[in-house]
Amino acid sequence: MKDYNDYMDGISAGHELHEKIMERAGRGAKPDAPRRKRPFLRYAGAVACAVLVIFCVWLFPNLPGEPGKNDPEACLLCGGNACVCSPGAPDEPVQSTPPLGPGENGDRPLEWWEIPLFLNSFEELARAKEKNYFETYYPVYSSKYYGLYLENLNFYYIPVYAVSHYNLYGVTLSSGGIASSFSKSTAPWLEDVPWKDRFTLTSYHAEPEYMVRRIKSGELKPWISGTIYYQEFNSFSGSRTLFYWVQDGDTFSLNISTELLNEIKKNDPGALEGPLFELQRVDLE
Amino acid sequence: MNEQSGRPVDCRISETEETVKRNENRLLRAALAIMGSKADAEDVVQDVFLKLFEKQPRFETPEHETAWLLTVTANLCKTRLSSPWRKKTVPLLADYPAQTGAQQNILEAVLSLPAKYRAIIHLFYYEGYSTKEIAEITQQKESTVRQQLTRARRALKAFLGEENHERL
């Protein structure tokens, strides 16, 4: 490598390079502006991608179609955010399986959790009522007990229109948008129901199988009784009008629509004072 | 008076100029060997001294100073070689023609090697560093340096042929 070393020995920086070095050292900065941009430009693509990703992450939950965010009838149970129990959620799968008759599943009466009833609209609910569906398919219930199953992805959504006897079973008895939407126009058959019976029971929120296990194990009582009082209640999701009753130390609540409450106050203002009525036990055995 | 590190700027510039004088030729040669072009090498050398002026590191010995400067040179060369902004320049031998045919041959052989091998060859044969010292300068494992040196020698041998290789 002697030739290589000889060649290298013949190379020197020269006065010009020396002056450039000292000039830059004296200024403490690089002389050519385009090069100064190099470190930024090298990472400019990565920075742009990161900004884009952050923007997309921010944008996605704010898209107009996001469930719950723009739902005017957001669920009362979860504070109005997206949830599977909200019938107003736009992504909710809709099943329109027609109700089965008693004979289609054998001779024995169906248990309440076996009833494959899927109602997708208040019109269907009204038609079911006209056909006396609930009275037919709830043999263990009082004949004045009206219920509705809606199946979501993982939950049964059961707003219950109670008349005089309440059979909670600890199951999901929920109100939400459906209960609030009951009105003369959507359910004209309700005209025959006394005003104080127009309650939607609001209680647990869980998968029915889980609740059935609790019922069968005795953890939850199969029926309740108690006294219902009227009370204005400010829930976490906003001002709600609720009725309460207590059973074995547990507080349950009934939800009533503002529309109905106003109707009650207008027609019979004294009706909300004192105990409204007693819940009657219904023995299933 | 603008001061940094407790010393006046003029004083620092004077010290830097001494360091530049001591090392500029050596760094230019190393950068030339790695970059293969005069313009790139000169840019690298300028950047090296600029970093020296900005960082003002404390050196225990002149050898320590030289090793630090060569390390920065190797790093800046590596960065510049991977940059798409690298200048398209005339070959090294056009700017610094070889004086003899033998020099021409060996330079062509060295410049035919990949840049990482050229750095090893230069530091080993011209600067006289051991593989351990080269490993520290290039921030690689010593075994890697030894392997690269072996491969570089093999490539030079293949390029120069058996007769010329005897002169390595």
Side-chain angles (χ1 to χ4, degrees):
Chain A
M1 296 293 286
K2 182 176 180 303
D3 294 317
Y4 177 83
N5 292 348
D6 289 343
Y7 173 84
M8 285 296 175
D9 285 340
I11 294 175
S12 61
H15 183 71
E16 188 180 350
L17 177 60
H18 180 83
E19 288 301 313
K20 278 185 183 176
I21 293 169
M22 294 315 300
E23 181 191 351
R24 291 181 65 179
R27 279 190 294 145
K30 298 182 181 180
D32 38 0
R35 301 254 180 85
R36 280 200 296 273
K37 292 179 180 175
R38 231 180 268 155
F40 170 75
L41 291 171
R42 190 178 303 146
Y43 302 109
V47 170
C49 286
V51 169
L52 187 63
V53 168
I54 291 169
F55 177 72
C56 289
V57 168
W58 171 84
L59 180 67
F60 181 73
N62 293 289
L63 289 175
E66 204 266 335
K69 284 264 181 179
N70 301 299
D71 182 10
E73 293 186 335
C75 178
L76 298 178
L77 295 175
C78 66
N81 292 322
C83 78
V84 294
C85 65
S86 170
D91 289 342
E92 177 182 286
V94 175
Q95 300 189 45
S96 56
T97 307
L100 297 174
E104 295 178 40
N105 267 344
D107 293 328
R108 69 172 174 83
L110 294 176
E111 297 292 339
W112 62 265
W113 59 84
E114 295 176 316
I115 298 174
L117 171 60
F118 305 100
L119 298 179
N120 302 308
S121 66
F122 304 119
E123 288 74 16
E124 286 190 31
L125 175 66
R127 283 198 297 273
K129 176 62 179 67
E130 287 172 2
K131 294 176 182 176
N132 208 23
Y133 180 84
F134 298 105
E135 294 178 17
T136 303
Y137 285 83
Y138 279 90
V140 295
Y141 284 35
S142 158
S143 61
K144 293 183 178 179
Y145 185 90
Y146 303 96
L148 169 65
Y149 282 101
L150 290 178
E151 186 177 70
N152 289 331
L153 283 175
N154 296 313
F155 295 91
Y156 274 53
Y157 189 82
I158 313 171
V160 175
Y161 230 73
V163 176
S164 60
H165 298 289
Y166 298 84
N167 245 313
L168 291 184
Y169 287 82
V171 295
T172 302
L173 299 176
S174 175
S175 57
I178 283 184
S180 300
S181 300
F182 282 170
S183 67
K184 292 178 182 176
S185 59
T186 56
W189 50 271
L190 291 176
E191 287 296 297
D192 299 332
V193 180
W195 68 264
K196 70 178 183 179
D197 295 332
R198 298 182 191 179
F199 299 117
T200 302
L201 307 186
T202 304
S203 182
Y204 293 102
H205 178 210
E207 296 178 60
E209 291 79 7
Y210 168 68
M211 304 310 297
V212 168
R213 271 204 311 277
R214 296 182 67 191
I215 293 167
K216 288 185 174 178
S217 68
E219 185 182 352
L220 288 177
K221 297 184 184 304
W223 45 272
I224 64 167
S225 64
T227 305
I228 291 184
Y229 295 88
Y230 167 70
Q231 182 179 12
E232 291 282 346
F233 178 74
N234 291 322
S235 73
F236 60 89
S237 58
S239 178
R240 303 294 181 195
T241 305
L242 297 171
F243 294 81
Y244 279 93
W245 79 96
V246 176
Q247 179 255 334
D248 293 344
D250 289 331
T251 299
F252 295 87
S253 61
L254 306 173
N255 193 8
I256 186 172
S257 70
T258 304
E259 178 187 358
L260 181 56
L261 179 68
N262 291 336
E263 189 179 340
I264 294 169
K265 287 180 176 177
K266 179 182 176 183
N267 297 330
D268 191 2
L272 296 174
E273 296 173 1
L276 297 180
F277 54 87
E278 295 288 327
L279 288 176
Q280 302 297 319
R281 291 183 175 218
V282 177
D283 193 352
L284 298 179
E285 299 301 327
Chain B
M1 183 185 295
N2 182 22
E3 289 191 4
Q4 191 177 8
S5 306
R7 286 178 295 161
V9 172
D10 291 345
C11 180
R12 283 190 293 135
I13 291 176
S14 175
E15 288 176 11
T16 304
E17 182 157 22
E18 289 301 314
T19 307
V20 170
K21 282 180 182 175
R22 275 199 306 273
N23 293 284
E24 60 184 355
N25 289 337
R26 166 177 275 165
L27 298 189
L28 178 65
R29 289 161 191 162
L32 279 172
I34 300 171
M35 298 302 296
S37 81
K38 180 185 175 185
D40 280 332
E42 289 186 347
D43 281 352
V44 166
V45 172
Q46 291 181 56
D47 288 344
V48 170
F49 285 114
L50 187 64
K51 283 195 179 298
L52 175 72
F53 187 77
E54 288 171 349
K55 293 186 180 299
Q56 293 285 311
R58 297 283 180 184
F59 300 116
E60 297 167 1
T61 62
E63 291 76 20
H64 181 205
E65 177 187 74
T66 303
W68 187 90
L69 291 169
L70 284 170
T71 300
V72 175
T73 303
N75 285 337
L76 289 178
C77 286
K78 187 178 174 184
T79 303
R80 190 171 288 259
L81 285 168
S82 64
S83 169
W85 294 82
R86 188 184 170 199
K87 287 179 179 176
K88 302 296 180 187
T89 56
V90 293
L92 174 62
L93 286 168
D95 284 319
Y96 297 104
Q99 301 300 312
T100 65
Q103 284 183 9
Q104 180 81 18
N105 286 343
I106 190 69
L107 255 296
E108 285 178 354
V110 171
L111 291 174
S112 70
L113 298 173
K116 60 182 179 182
Y117 291 172
R118 293 202 299 268
I120 304 292
I121 287 287
H122 183 85
L123 293 173
F124 186 81
Y125 285 109
Y126 185 76
E127 293 291 345
Y129 284 115
S130 67
T131 53
K132 185 180 178 182
E133 290 166 330
I134 294 172
E136 291 173 1
I137 290 172
T138 58
Q139 297 169 329
Q140 299 178 98
K141 290 181 183 175
E142 189 183 354
S143 59
T144 305
V145 171
R146 280 203 298 269
Q147 187 185 49
Q148 290 180 347
L149 186 59
T150 302
R151 288 177 179 173
R153 283 169 171 160
R154 195 179 302 150
L156 288 175
K157 182 180 177 181
F159 189 93
L160 294 170
E162 202 62 41
E163 289 184 8
N164 289 329
H165 182 254
E166 296 297 324
R167 301 170 60 188
L168 288 178

